[in-house]
Amino acid sequence: MRLQRRRFADATDVRRFPHGQVDVVEMDDHVIGRMTYESGWRWSTDVKPIAGTEWCQFHHVGYVISGRLRTQMPDGTELEVGPGEVFELPPGHDAWVVGDEPWVAIDFEAMRTYGRGASGAERTLASIVITDIVDSTRRASDLGGSAWRDLVADHNRRASVVIDRHRGRLVKTTGDGVLAQFDGAERAVRAADAIVAAATELGLELRAGVHSGEVDATPDDLRGIAVHTTARIMSEAAAGEILVSATVMDLVEGSGLRFDDAGLRELKGLAGKRQLFRLVREG
């Protein structure tokens, strides 16, 4: 940390779309945006074609300067926020400006990739994290449908925050886990560790896999053998365990992360045995 300041007038990134724009400034690990949406702006009309997802998948936390915004969740729940109010909007929502006054707000959480377009599949090198809630079927049965959905929603929200803080992208939730993409192996491993820790606070046990390789990235999915490999690595992990590939081990050398040898494993659908390593988690 260090003393520093930025001005939105000198934004490092300005993302424009119909009826609005986002001015973005960066302060080391923090990315902060000023959202300005004109009267008539609606996420499902103006940003959905850019995002390529059915609902906004970003977790927004911020402060309203002026105007009013109404948000709707898939179950019909709605919330309206206005000047002087601090807000939190979980992933999976639509939103629109209410009235004739533009909505202006500062967002502290979702601005790393929000509002950026992607056309078609892009081949790129990525570090991938896939998690899974252990024994989810039994837990859902014990808790009941409504309580289980609330618990999973809380898990997804916390995972989204962790992923963004580690400069990653929440690609999608899977019902009982997440798929996330990172541009660095160390950040991916540390994010996986933090996601597992956040789930533990909720009384959930997670298993996680981390691997690095080439993927075809679209706005709402990742495809390629590297994704399948990560999923197979994850399935080998025990409750609370994070397993990584030898590729990840090579990339995080010198990071200070510690691992145990998890042995050679045969991964379903992949040729030959793969050397895996177990993250030694602090505490």
Side-chain angles (χ1 to χ4, degrees):
M1 288 185 246
R2 59 196 173 97
L3 287 171
Q4 56 181 309
R5 64 184 177 188
R6 298 289 186 272
R7 295 169 55 89
F8 286 115
D10 303 318
T12 56
D13 186 7
V14 178
R15 302 168 197 165
R16 296 182 173 87
F17 34 77
H19 299 104
Q21 71 179 49
V22 176
D23 303 294
V24 179
V25 296
E26 296 188 25
M27 292 192 294
D28 297 331
D29 288 342
H30 301 284
V31 181
I32 302 164
R34 179 179 64 189
M35 300 177 288
T36 304
Y37 300 154
E38 301 168 6
S39 176
W41 178 92
R42 184 166 186 144
W43 185 90
S44 55
T45 301
D46 298 320
V47 185
K48 178 179 177 179
I50 298 171
T53 56
E54 188 63 26
W55 302 87
C56 178
Q57 294 300 321
F58 286 85
H59 175 236
H60 298 275
V61 176
Y63 174 80
V64 182
I65 297 173
S66 61
R68 304 195 69 82
L69 186 83
R70 194 162 189 85
T71 301
Q72 183 181 68
M73 303 302 292
D75 64 0
T77 305
E78 294 189 359
L79 174 72
E80 187 171 309
V81 295
E85 295 181 326
V86 178
F87 62 86
E88 178 178 21
L89 311 179
H93 62 266
D94 191 13
W96 60 92
V97 173
V98 177
D100 297 327
E101 184 181 6
W103 188 69
V104 182
I106 307 300
D107 192 310
F108 300 97
E109 197 67 60
M111 292 295 102
R112 193 170 301 281
T113 56
Y114 173 80
R116 283 182 175 169
S119 56
E122 177 187 0
R123 191 72 171 170
T124 186
L125 183 65
S127 291
I128 308 153
V129 172
I130 298 181
T131 69
D132 175 64
I133 299 174
V134 176
D135 210 8
S136 59
T137 302
R138 182 187 63 79
R139 290 296 307 277
S141 177
D142 291 345
L143 288 173
S146 179
W148 175 249
R149 285 191 295 272
D150 289 345
L151 182 59
V152 171
D154 197 5
H155 159 268
N156 291 344
R157 180 186 63 80
R158 294 186 183 208
S160 175
V161 171
V162 167
I163 290 164
D164 188 73
R165 286 177 178 170
H166 287 80
R167 302 188 185 184
R169 177 173 78 99
L170 174 61
V171 179
K172 62 181 180 181
T173 58
T174 60
D176 53 5
V178 299
L179 166 62
Q181 173 187 358
F182 298 83
D183 61 4
E186 181 182 351
R187 280 194 287 272
V189 174
R190 294 192 185 278
D193 188 26
I195 292 170
V196 171
T200 301
E201 294 177 357
L202 296 174
L204 295 172
E205 289 188 306
L206 260 61
R207 58 171 61 91
V210 186
H211 178 56
S212 297
E214 287 197 339
V215 297
D216 292 315
T218 64
D220 60 353
D221 208 355
L222 288 181
R223 303 185 182 94
I225 190 64
V227 181
H228 295 296
T229 301
T230 310
R232 297 308 183 197
I233 292 171
M234 179 272 293
S235 67
E236 290 289 314
E241 200 171 58
I242 299 167
L243 295 181
V244 310
S245 66
T247 305
V248 170
M249 278 290 292
D250 289 340
L251 291 171
V252 301
E253 184 176 358
S255 66
L257 293 166
R258 296 190 298 122
F259 298 86
D260 288 334
D261 187 334
L264 289 168
R265 310 281 185 102
E266 289 186 359
L267 304 181
K268 184 178 178 181
L270 301 173
K273 293 185 177 182
R274 306 295 177 97
Q275 177 68 53
L276 301 184
F277 298 87
R278 181 184 302 106
L279 176 68
V280 178
R281 302 186 60 221
E282 298 299 326

